[in-house]
Amino acid sequence: MRTFEDLTYYEIFEVPINASSFEIRQAYRNALSIYGDDSTISYAFFTKEERAKILKRVEEAFSTLINDDKREQYDKILVDKNIIDSSSLTKKRPKVATPIFSAKSSGGRAVLRKIESAIKGKDLKAIVDDILSTGAVSGKDLQRLRTAVGIRIEDVFEVTRISVATLQAIENDLVEALPPTVYLRNFLKDYAELLHADPERITAGYLKNLDRISRSS
Amino acid sequence: MAHICAIGGGKGGSGKTFISANLGVILATHGKKVILIDLDLGASNLHTLVAQHHPKTGLHHFLNRSVKDLSLTAEATDVRGLFLITSLRCSLEAGNLFYSQKQKIIRAIGQLPADFVLLDIGAGTTYNTLDFFLAADQGLFILTPEPTSIQNTVQFIKAIYLRKLKLILKQDAFTILAKEVANESNDGVVMSPLDIVDRVMKREPERAKYLEGELNKLTFRLILNQHRSHIDSHLGQKIEKVCNRHFYSQFKFLGNIAHNERVSDSIIAKKIFVLKYPYTATTTDLKSLANRIVATRIEQPAIREEYAYV
C-alpha cells in the first residue's frame, strides 16, 4: 500500500491529470469535508497531529494545482520522475453529456419494442379467431393469448401501466378485484391493442363472459 | 456450506441487533434457510426483535453439554425458514467466555446446515467480539452518522486489525516482533496497528510483502444506519475512502439505512419491523442490503429477480 505521503496531488484529489480548475476546486472542497477541522470523519480517524499533517498536504496540493505556473512545474517533476506520461498532460477529454431526464422512464418503450418484435414472428390470427369464436372471452383466453406471444404480465404493465394486481384479476376473472366497468373497458381495450387483437370484440366478449359469471354465482 | 455473516460495530445502540433480525427475516422470506445467532453474550435481545418471546432452548444447552450438536439448539421462528439460537438463558457470566468454549462455538457455527448464518455480535472490542467477527465469511460494520459511533468504529477496526496482526505474527515466525508488540501493548498503550506494520516493514522488508498481502485479504463492509435526510449523503462513501486510504485492508460501503421513528414502535410492540412496516424507506434499504449480501456470495443475486416488479 502507498501511504498518504506517497500520493501525488492528483491522486489526493482523485482528479485526472488534465483536470480543469473547476474540478480541482470541487475536489478540494470534497477533501476538506473529509480531512477538514470540522469533519466528523477526520475527528474520529486521526489524532490532532496526524490531521494537521494531512491537512497541510491537502492545502499544498490545492495551492499548487490551482496556480498555473506552480502546476506546470509540478507536472514537470512528475514527468521527470516517470510517475506520469507527458502525453496525458495535453490530452483533451471529451465532455460527457449529462442526461436531463432519468433513463428509467424509457423502460416502457423498450418493452413495447420487445413485444412488437415478439408478435411479428408469430401467427396469432388462429388463436385470436379461436378466442372470439364463442363470443364470450374469459380471462384465461387473454392469458393464453399473452403466453402465446411469450411475454410476462409485468411487460404488459410496463407498457400499459395497468397495475399487475389488476391484470391478474382480469386474467383470473376475479370479479371482486376488478375495477369499475368504466375503467375495465379501457384496460381491456389497451390490453387487446397491445396484443394486436380486435379491441371492440375482446372488450364486448369479456364483459359478456363477466356477466355470465356473476349471474351464475 | 453456510455463509457466515458477522454483524458488529463498536458502539452500542447503533442497530446491530435490529439489522441482524430484519436481514434474517428478509433472507428467509426469499426462500433462504437462515440461522440467527445471538452472540451478544450477557445482553441478549435478538429473540425479542424476531418475536420469539419464550425460547425453550438456546446456546446454554450447547455450552453445558446437554446437547452435542449446535443445530439442535436452533429454534424455528414464526417466519418460515428462519431459525434462532438465543443466548438468553446462558449464565450471567457468559460474557466472559473461556477460550476453549469460544473455539467450540466457532467450530460448530461453521457446520450449521443453513444458507446463511447471521451472527449478532455485541458492542465493545473484547476478544470474544473480535474473534467471532474474524471467524465469519463476511463482516458487516454498523455505524451511525454520529462522531461517537464513527470513533468507536475506528477503534473496532483497529482492534480487529491488531488481533489479526498478532495472529499472523505468531503464526509465521515473527515471534520476536510479536513479543515486542505484545509487551508494548501491555504497558497500557496499545500501539496503532499501522505503526506495527510500519515497524515490521522497516525491520524485515522481505516479510513485509507477505504481511501486507495477508492484511489485504481482510474485507470489511460498512453500513450506515439511522441515516437522516439532512446528513451528507456521501458520508458512507467518504468513510470508505478514508479507510481504504489509511488502512491496509479493503473496505466496502454497502449503503445507508434510513432512520425511522417506527423502528422504536416496532421494538416496543415486540414485532418484526420489516413485516409490520413493509412500505417504508427503511425496509427498502434493508432489502437492497440483503440483495448486496446475497450478491457477494453468489454471482447471480437470487433476490433481485423477484423484487423486480413487486
Side-chain angles (χ1 to χ4, degrees):
Chain A
M1 190 187 84
R2 295 161 65 213
T3 58
F4 193 72
E5 281 76 46
D6 294 339
L7 299 178
T8 69
Y9 293 161
Y10 295 105
E11 283 167 327
I12 288 176
F13 289 141
E14 294 184 312
V15 292
I17 290 156
N18 48 10
S20 67
S21 66
F22 175 74
E23 285 170 302
I24 289 164
R25 266 175 223 281
Q26 231 173 7
Y28 172 62
R29 207 175 308 141
N30 272 337
L32 281 190
S33 74
I34 295 176
Y35 297 113
D37 281 325
D38 49 0
S39 154
T40 37
I41 299 177
S42 85
Y43 171 76
F45 272 82
F46 307 110
T47 63
K48 211 176 149 196
E49 292 76 29
E50 284 169 335
R51 178 158 36 149
K53 212 166 136 192
I54 291 172
L55 258 183
K56 197 177 152 224
R57 183 124 175 105
V58 171
E59 294 295 344
E60 216 174 81
F62 180 64
S63 62
T64 305
L65 297 189
I66 210 66
N67 180 317
D68 285 346
D69 296 338
K70 279 190 190 167
R71 185 173 173 180
E72 204 175 308
Q73 283 170 16
Y74 180 71
D75 287 343
K76 211 176 257 168
I77 295 171
L78 289 183
V79 173
D80 288 346
K81 281 189 186 164
N82 246 337
I83 298 173
I84 59 170
D85 188 24
S86 57
S87 67
S88 59
L89 286 171
T90 48
K91 210 169 17 184
K92 284 257 183 322
R93 277 182 306 136
K95 276 192 180 168
V96 185
T98 1
I100 300 172
F101 301 105
S102 158
K104 275 180 197 155
S105 58
S106 65
R109 222 176 302 153
V111 176
L112 180 62
R113 241 175 282 135
K114 192 181 100 184
I115 295 173
E116 290 295 336
S117 66
I119 290 174
K120 208 176 268 173
K122 293 185 183 82
D123 187 24
L124 297 172
K125 202 169 178 307
I127 299 171
V128 175
D129 286 346
D130 183 40
I131 288 171
L132 292 171
S133 61
T134 57
V137 178
S138 72
K140 285 278 162 282
D141 289 332
L142 294 177
Q143 195 176 30
R144 185 154 63 102
L145 181 60
R146 174 173 64 77
T147 41
V149 177
I151 57 171
R152 295 176 309 163
I153 209 162
E154 289 84 1
D155 297 328
V156 181
F157 158 74
E158 280 293 342
V159 180
T160 61
R161 291 277 144 189
I162 305 168
S163 77
V164 173
T166 307
L167 288 169
Q168 272 163 350
I170 291 174
E171 289 193 355
N172 294 308
D173 295 319
L174 303 173
V175 182
E176 278 99 77
L178 284 174
T181 320
V182 190
Y183 297 108
L184 182 61
R185 218 180 264 279
N186 277 318
F187 288 165
L188 289 167
K189 197 173 136 252
D190 288 348
Y191 193 115
E193 269 172 1
L194 182 65
L195 299 178
H196 291 209
D198 183 348
E200 297 299 322
R201 289 176 68 195
I202 290 279
T203 310
Y206 190 86
L207 292 175
K208 190 174 163 194
N209 188 47
L210 212 58
D211 197 38
R212 198 184 293 168
I213 292 171
S214 49
R215 221 179 303 156
S216 70
S217 64
Chain B
M1 233 189 60
H3 187 72
I4 304 166
C5 295
I7 293 142
K11 193 168 170 299
S14 56
K16 297 178 289 297
T17 308
F18 172 76
I19 289 178
S20 315
N22 286 287
L23 215 51
V25 172
I26 293 170
L27 290 171
T29 45
H30 284 87
K32 307 276 176 217
K33 189 179 173 193
V34 183
I35 301 181
L36 287 169
I37 310 182
D38 194 342
L39 287 176
D40 196 348
L41 302 174
S44 314
N45 286 137
L46 190 57
H47 58 285
T48 310
L49 293 200
V50 290
Q52 187 77 355
H53 301 307
H54 305 288
K56 290 186 187 63
T57 173
L59 198 61
H60 60 289
H61 280 149
F62 182 69
L63 287 178
N64 69 18
R65 300 206 189 99
S66 48
V67 293
K68 265 220 158 87
D69 188 351
L70 183 62
S71 65
L72 295 176
T73 66
E75 223 171 43
T77 66
D78 290 343
V79 179
R80 200 193 147 110
L82 183 69
F83 298 81
L84 172 74
I85 300 179
T86 177
S87 56
L88 180 64
R89 307 258 282 278
C90 283
S91 115
L92 289 174
E93 292 171 335
N96 314 298
L97 215 55
F98 291 119
Y99 182 74
S100 61
Q101 285 180 316
K102 185 171 58 189
Q103 290 307 69
K104 194 179 148 189
I105 295 175
I106 289 176
R107 264 199 306 275
I109 288 172
Q111 269 143 32
L112 285 173
D115 297 320
F116 286 91
V117 176
L118 305 183
L119 313 178
D120 175 26
I121 290 173
T125 54
T126 57
Y127 281 170
N128 284 343
T129 6
L130 301 181
D131 287 344
F132 285 137
F133 201 89
L134 282 172
D137 296 319
Q138 58 172 291
L140 310 176
F141 277 97
I142 316 294
L143 58 151
T144 63
E146 286 153 6
T148 46
S149 174
I150 302 175
Q151 237 168 6
N152 285 7
T153 304
V154 175
Q155 275 162 13
F156 194 87
I157 294 173
K158 282 187 178 168
I160 284 271
Y161 223 76
L162 187 65
R163 183 92 178 131
K164 181 79 186 168
L165 205 57
K166 278 189 183 174
L167 288 176
I168 298 173
L169 289 177
K170 263 184 209 153
Q171 274 170 9
D172 299 287
F174 288 87
T175 25
I176 301 161
L177 263 171
K179 242 179 222 161
E180 212 180 286
V181 170
N183 285 339
E184 277 177 47
S185 43
N186 282 345
D187 293 340
V189 192
V190 177
M191 278 177 77
S192 154
L194 305 177
D195 290 344
I196 300 170
V197 179
D198 287 346
R199 180 169 300 204
V200 175
M201 289 193 175
K202 266 193 207 116
R203 285 252 201 112
E204 308 188 36
E206 70 278 11
R207 279 174 173 170
K209 270 238 142 53
Y210 171 75
L211 191 60
E212 237 189 278
E214 283 296 303
L215 289 174
N216 199 31
K217 279 185 204 157
L218 281 177
T219 307
F220 301 93
R221 294 182 167 81
L222 308 172
I223 297 158
L224 196 62
N225 192 21
Q226 300 177 20
H227 187 270
R228 292 174 172 84
S229 53
H230 65 269
I231 288 165
D232 180 3
S233 57
H234 294 296
L235 186 65
Q237 280 90 344
K238 284 176 182 168
I239 293 173
E240 176 192 41
K241 188 157 98 184
V242 173
C243 286
N244 278 325
R245 259 191 186 171
H246 299 274
F247 292 121
Y248 288 84
S249 305
Q250 296 180 40
F251 294 83
K252 284 202 179 93
F253 175 60
L254 292 192
N256 297 321
I257 310 278
H259 175 264
N260 195 328
E261 294 294 332
R262 295 200 179 105
V263 169
S264 165
D265 294 349
S266 78
I267 295 172
I268 290 171
K270 302 201 284 294
K271 293 270 161 58
I272 296 170
F273 179 82
V274 289
L275 300 183
K276 194 165 162 45
Y277 300 107
Y279 305 111
T280 52
T282 310
T283 300
T284 313
D285 289 346
L286 284 164
K287 281 184 180 172
S288 55
L289 176 65
N291 256 331
R292 297 200 64 174
I293 287 168
V294 175
T296 50
R297 190 193 173 197
I298 25 181
E299 281 183 5
Q300 232 165 15
I303 293 179
R304 187 156 303 162
E305 182 62 33
E306 295 167 41
Y307 279 153
Y309 295 103
V310 175

